[in-house]
Each structure stands twice: as C-alpha cells, then as structure tokens.
Amino acid sequence: MDQHAWTRVVEAATRAPSIHNTQPWSFVADGDRLTVRTDPSRALRTLDPSGRQRVVSCGVAVEFAVVALTAAGSATEVELLPDPADPDLLATVTVTGPWEPDEEDRVLDEAIDARHTERAPFLPQAVPADLVERLQAVAGAFRVWLEPVTTEDEEVATVFLISRAEEIERGEPEYLAELERWMRTDPGAVDGIPVAAVPGEDPATRPSNWLVRDFVVGSRPAGGAPRGPDPDAPPEVERPAVVVMGTDADDRAAWLTAGRALGRVLLEATAAGLAASPLTQALDWPATRSQLRSRLSLIGHPQMLLRLGYPAGDRTPSTNRRPVTEVLTFGRTPSA
Ligand SMILES: Cc1cc2nc3c(=O)[nH]c(=O)nc-3n(C[C@H](O)[C@H](O)[C@H](O)COP(=O)(O)O)c2cc1C
C-alpha cells in the first residue's frame, strides 16, 4: 500500500463519529499495516474519566478503515490491543491480500461519507422491526448485543435516566466548561461540535420522549426558547427506535469491539435510509449507567444508546475533521 492509498483509508477512518467530535486518534501506516492509537491529549476528563467513550470512538475509526480497505479491494485482519505494555496502541489493521468487493461492500463504503449524527426530530415513521433485527445481527457478528427499548416500562426507565443524567450535567460546572471548550462557532473549525449541528431549542420542549444531549445549556436565554418549535403547530411526534448496545466485559477490548460494531451498525442504518444520534448521557455517569443496566435487566455492560429514525427534510450539516496530515504518519510505506 502506498501513501496515497493509506491517506484515502485514513480519510475514511476519520469520518468516524467521536464523543464531542474530539477525534481522539492518530495513525501510522507502515507497509501493509495501519496502526491506530488513541491520543490522550484529546480526552474528556470530566465526561469520560475512564476513556471508555474515547476508545469506543476509536473503535468506530478502526471499522471505517476496514470498510474502506475492503471496498478498495483489500482483505484485512484486525488485531486489538497488540501490546499490553502500550495501552494507547489500540489496534493494527493489516492488509492480508486482495479482496473482490461486492455491492454490499461498496454500499457500506459510500455510507461513510453520507452518515452523520442527526439530532433534529425524525419523521413520525416507525423503523421496521426487521431492520432492527438486521442491525442486531450486524452487532452480533462482533459479539456485541443490540437491544431495542420496546416496552413502556423500559422506555419510561430509559427516558428517566437520560433526564436524570442531564440534570446531573447541568449542575456540574466542570462538565459544562468541558462541553463549552468543544463547542465551535467558527464553521471552519476542524474539530469540536459546530453550533449549527445541535438544536437551538431546549431539547425538553420537543414533542418527543427522547432528550437529545443539550449542548447549549448555560448559553440559552433564561425563560425563552426563541429558536424553538412553533407553539401553535400540532406536535408531530417522532417514533425513533432506541437501541442499547453492550458487551459482556467492560475493558478496553470490549470498548473497542463495541466501537467497531457501532461503526457497522451506523453504516448499515445509513445505507437503509436511517439516521442516528447517540443519547449517551445516561452512560456518562456510573450511577445512571448501572441503573440502566438493572432497570432494563441487561446482562453485561451498556456501551451505547442510539436513537434511530427517518430524517426529515432539512439535514444537519456534516461536522469537520482535522486534516489527515495532522493524524497520519508514515513508516516505510512507499510514497507513490
Ligand atoms: C461514544 C460517542 C458518544 C456520543 N454521545 C453523544 C451524545 O450523547 N449526544 C449527541 O448528540 N451526540 C453524541 N455523539 C455524537 C458526536 O457528537 C458526533 O459523532 C460528533 O460531533 C461528530 O459528528 P458526526 O457524527 O455528525 O460526524 C457521540 C459519539 C460517540 C462516538
């Protein structure tokens, strides 16, 4: 593999979603091998002190690299955490030979650019059960479970824990300061969350049970929601599928694998016309995370809560990424 080919692969990998768009990764391409490291200088020390969501984000990047390589005609082998003495070295992706890409490979690769987090209300159209089952099988191939929140009891418990977590976050100055450090008003910013990508209205005023993370808490004028929905319009209630993804273990290998499965699930969902937004507030805090586990009778550890649905007309703009030259270095890979 030459430098040009690796640059294309890393461009795809870095389209991965990451917590607060921190892009907490770096890559080394050396011959036929891509090494993926996490960059602890981009950690969220208050929201994510264990680094779990950072490692999940990097797991998605690993999977996007695999999908891009497969579509470009390379068979791959992934090794997770190859050096126990170097925990930031998360994975190697090795090209093991040629691969004949099929239509499915190409469709998933195209979904890498099409996917982005959609926080706007979805259409009031239910996600078909067989599609959720397909996503379940996609995650299951990584031994990651994906469980839809279906019964009313489960929904009430999940919604309660999300709003409980939001409440904790609103009262946590360090959380708010960290969030503010990753919000971006400059549309050209190469990382962080652009204000255009998050709802201006208070998410609690939406005709939906599902609270998306409130990114502008603190900067919204008290007592009013000027960019909110028209109060006289009849509420159109979205009908998202909300799924919990999780793993039996809760260590770095499990977080990485959950990220890989999340990457595949998001690409499959995008290819099927769905959009998604993570609702991970309830997983940010050990108390709400373990309550979610017991209230939903989950066996294992929840790693991701995802809201899936059909996007309405006005899509949220894509978020930017740092240039590949900032995150990719080359070993003995030929330059052309
Ligand atoms: C582990 C993880 C947790 C996330 N948690 C949330 C969340 O709670 N709320 C939210 O709106 N977006 C969440 N996101 C989405 C990121 O903010 C988003 O991926 C990032 O801003 C880049 O935008 P994009 O997905 O449109 O490319 C999460 C993403 C990851 C990978």
Side-chain angles (χ1 to χ4, degrees):
M1 293 268 295
D2 64 26
Q3 293 192 0
H4 177 70
W6 278 125
T7 299
R8 301 275 311 263
V9 169
V10 172
E11 249 160 28
T14 57
R15 287 311 310 164
S18 59
I19 181 78
H20 287 8
N21 198 17
T22 46
Q23 304 166 43
W25 43 57
S26 68
F27 304 83
V28 180
D30 195 351
D32 281 340
R33 176 166 300 172
L34 183 69
T35 301
V36 184
R37 302 185 65 86
T38 183
D39 178 350
S41 72
R42 306 182 74 83
L44 299 174
R45 309 235 173 252
T46 305
L47 169 68
D48 186 31
S50 67
R52 186 184 65 81
Q53 302 200 58
R54 176 160 53 94
V55 172
V56 169
S57 306
C58 293
V60 186
V62 168
E63 199 52 27
F64 280 17
V66 169
V67 169
L69 280 162
T70 309
S74 296
T76 58
E77 199 174 272
V78 176
E79 192 183 354
L80 299 184
L81 301 168
D83 181 359
D86 185 359
D88 290 340
L89 169 51
L90 296 182
T92 55
V93 182
T94 306
V95 173
T96 53
W99 175 265
E100 192 83 48
D102 62 14
E103 185 55 20
E104 166 79 2
D105 295 330
R106 275 186 282 270
V107 165
L108 284 190
D109 184 50
E110 279 164 22
I112 289 178
D113 277 339
R115 181 216 64 86
H116 62 259
T117 300
E118 189 59 72
R119 301 181 183 87
F122 294 136
L123 295 175
Q125 183 184 344
V127 178
D130 61 343
L131 188 45
V132 175
E133 276 164 28
R134 204 162 90 226
L135 300 179
Q136 215 156 21
V138 166
F142 293 86
R143 306 178 117 244
V144 171
W145 46 261
L146 181 152
E147 289 298 331
V149 174
T150 41
T151 68
E152 204 179 319
D153 278 359
E154 289 172 349
E155 180 169 328
V156 167
T158 310
V159 168
F160 170 76
L161 289 169
I162 292 175
S163 56
R164 175 76 196 108
E166 277 280 336
E167 206 179 289
I168 299 174
E169 292 178 340
R170 280 168 201 256
E172 183 69 60
E174 282 174 28
Y175 167 87
L176 296 176
E178 190 176 70
L179 180 61
E180 207 178 305
R181 276 202 299 283
W182 287 97
M183 290 305 296
R184 301 286 183 262
T185 47
D186 171 6
V190 295
D191 61 9
I193 303 179
V195 284
V198 300
E201 89 272 11
D202 183 343
T205 63
R206 280 193 189 184
S208 172
N209 284 344
W210 298 103
L211 270 186
V212 296
R213 190 187 291 269
D214 191 357
F215 285 95
V216 290
V217 55
S219 56
R220 188 179 300 110
R227 285 213 282 147
D230 175 358
D232 298 326
E236 249 201 320
V237 179
E238 61 171 6
R239 296 180 61 196
V242 173
V243 301
V244 194
M245 294 175 67
T247 47
D248 293 344
D250 197 26
D251 52 17
R252 285 200 157 209
W255 302 340
L256 269 172
T257 308
R260 293 188 66 194
L262 172 65
R264 281 275 159 170
V265 163
L266 289 173
L267 296 182
E268 288 276 352
T270 304
L274 291 175
S277 72
L279 295 168
T280 56
Q281 307 95 311
L283 308 184
D284 293 347
W285 307 95
T288 49
R289 189 173 178 223
S290 73
Q291 280 165 30
L292 187 79
R293 193 178 166 197
S294 57
R295 295 290 299 273
L296 301 192
S297 312
L298 301 170
I299 298 165
H301 303 270
Q303 305 292 357
M304 175 53 61
L305 249 175
L306 209 53
R307 166 183 163 271
L308 293 156
Y310 291 96
D314 284 343
R315 303 292 303 271
T316 307
S318 293
T319 51
N320 293 335
R321 295 295 184 271
R322 292 182 288 158
V324 169
T325 48
E326 219 178 272
V327 294
L328 170 63
T329 49
F330 295 104
R332 58 196 160 77
T333 296
S335 53

